[in-house]
Structure formats: C-alpha cells, structure tokens
Amino acid sequence: MTTTDVSQALILAGGQATRMRPYTDDAPKAMVPVAGAPIVGYQLVWLAAHGVRDVVISAGYRHEMITDYVGDGSRFGLDVRYAIEDEPLGRGGGLKFAARQLARPARPFFVLNGDVISRFSLADFAAYHDDNAGAVTIALSPYRSNWGVADLVDGNRIKGFTQSPELPYWINAGVYVLNPDVVELLPAKGDHEDTTFPELARDGRLIGFRVSGYWRGIDTVKDVIEASRELLASGDVLDAQFRTTELEL
C-alpha cells in the first residue's frame, strides 16, 4: 500500500446520466455495475489502497442505493460521509455543497467524478500538485479515438486500420486535487469546468498531470461493456464482497 499527504477525497455521484439508460433508469450512474461491481466500488477501493481514509460522497438521484451499498465505508477501510442534494446543483454546486462535510476542510483533497475508473499513483499526483503550487491539479488522460483510423499509403490506398488509437491530445480525466481556498470560488449552482476552472487557467493556477495508468470514463452503454472486458482481461476486478451482479467470465 502506498500513502499520500492528501488523505481525504470527495466523489461527485449526483448525476442521473440519461445517456446510460437503461442502466440508470432506476439507479445513479455511480452504481452502474462494471465487471460485476459498481463504479463507486472501484473508486473507494482505489482511494483506500492509496492512503485515503476519509471520503465524502455527493449524491442526489436515487442516493439511497449508494448509501445502502457503501454504508459507513468501513468494509472499504474508509470513513464515508454523505452530502445529499435536495435539488440538482450541477457538479460545481454539488462540489461546493459537499466540501462542507470534509473531515479536514483546511487541507487539500482529491475529487473524483462519479463515472471514472482509474489506476494511477495518487501519491505521485499529490506530490506533483504540491511541487507545482497550483490551486487545482487535473489528471489528464491520453485522448483515444472512438473510431478506427485508416492507414494510408500513396495518398489514397488503405493498407489497414488502427482501431481506437491514442491521439496526441490530453483530456480531463475527471480526477483532481483541490486546495481548500478553491471551494469559495465554486458556483452555488452549475459546473465548475465552465466557470471556476477557466478563471484559474487565466490566472495560471490550473495544473495538468499526465497519467500513464489505466483510465476509463464510463459515459455510455458501450463504455460499460468495454470497461468490463478490459478489467476482466487484466484481472483487475473487485472481490465478491463488493459486487452487486454476477461476474461474467
């Protein structure tokens, strides 16, 4: 187990995610099973393995499914609290609202969007944030095309296709380190990526950290299927105690 100076995290799990139907007809996005276990389960196991001990989950739509599954977090080796929205606040508003529940509000904290499964060093991430003295550090993942790309020779002759190649761009991976003073800059309602982050970028206070480990955003039904195959192939599935559906081998 590795440890990090950042020992608290906040998970944004309040979205309804209409693009994920039918998975989200009766469940929040964070509870969609990937290789048998909910997305939030993968996140909590990952955080605990990297020295995080306190987690706040920001929830709204069908929040009782998350609280029933996670409980107080003790089976994950965590102390989990909840911030339940009475009305949708958007990601930025939900983040600002939930930050009030942090165990150590004067200390930096990790933030995870509730639809990503990641495997990279949080200790390196936190150290990079500290070394670069930004207000927020964003994990960046290589951009992978959703389509096959034609390999051309002689201008127009196709010699083959490269399926879903990585392109020379970096995308927001939905995992951050935030300094506590950023909380007051967040909108009461709305998305911090439309307001707070552009302001920090203009001030030179937004830092990017390129990740090389596994990362997958779960945005569509296709992503659920592909992520399940990837985790099964790598053997990186969760133990039976964390699963909510059968594991299909």
Side-chain angles (χ1 to χ4, degrees):
M1 181 182 70
T2 59
T3 59
T4 174
D5 289 333
V6 181
S7 60
Q8 57 184 354
L10 194 157
I11 297 174
L12 297 172
Q16 188 170 349
T18 55
R19 289 195 301 169
M20 293 285 290
R21 290 174 177 168
Y23 290 108
T24 54
D25 281 342
D26 299 305
K29 194 174 186 181
M31 286 300 297
V32 171
V34 177
I39 297 170
V40 71
Y42 285 95
Q43 294 182 328
L44 294 172
V45 168
W46 179 49
L47 290 170
H50 286 257
V52 172
R53 288 294 167 258
D54 298 285
V55 175
V56 176
I57 297 179
S58 173
Y61 172 69
R62 297 303 306 269
H63 59 82
E64 67 280 357
M65 295 187 68
I66 298 176
T67 56
D68 287 347
Y69 172 73
V70 177
D72 64 2
S74 56
R75 70 189 178 116
F76 294 92
L78 297 164
D79 182 0
V80 175
R81 306 178 186 185
Y82 298 91
I84 308 300
E85 299 176 9
D86 293 328
E87 60 176 329
L89 299 176
R91 289 188 300 171
L95 175 52
K96 188 170 191 173
F97 175 68
R100 302 171 187 168
Q101 300 292 330
L102 288 168
R104 290 168 295 282
R107 297 290 301 159
F109 56 100
F110 296 116
V111 177
L112 280 66
N113 288 347
D115 58 0
V116 298
I117 297 177
S118 306
R119 292 292 182 271
F120 61 88
S121 170
L122 290 178
D124 291 347
F125 190 31
Y128 190 86
H129 173 76
D130 189 57
D131 290 344
N132 285 273
V136 176
T137 300
I138 301 177
L140 302 175
S141 179
Y143 176 64
R144 185 179 293 277
S145 171
N146 291 324
W147 300 276
V149 174
D151 299 321
L152 299 173
V153 294
D154 299 328
N156 62 359
R157 296 186 182 277
I158 299 174
K159 68 174 184 178
F161 291 88
T162 301
Q163 186 60 41
S164 300
E166 287 187 2
L167 302 179
Y169 302 101
W170 296 85
I171 61 172
N172 183 345
V175 184
Y176 321 120
V177 186
L178 264 72
N179 283 349
D181 61 337
V182 174
V183 173
E184 66 183 42
L185 304 178
L186 296 168
K189 282 189 177 182
D191 195 328
H192 55 283
E193 293 182 7
D194 295 330
T195 55
T196 309
F197 282 7
E199 292 175 5
L200 293 173
R202 285 194 294 270
D203 293 339
R205 302 176 64 203
L206 194 64
I207 308 299
F209 174 81
R210 293 174 174 86
V211 303
S212 57
Y214 179 80
W215 179 87
R216 164 68 78 162
I218 313 295
D219 294 316
T220 65
V221 172
K222 179 183 177 182
D223 290 328
V224 174
I225 296 170
E226 291 182 350
S228 295
R229 289 173 178 166
E230 290 165 356
L231 293 170
L232 284 166
S234 66
D236 197 16
V237 297
L238 294 192
D239 292 340
Q241 63 171 316
F242 300 123
R243 296 178 203 149
T244 55
T245 61
E246 292 295 324
L247 182 63
E248 296 181 5
L249 301 175

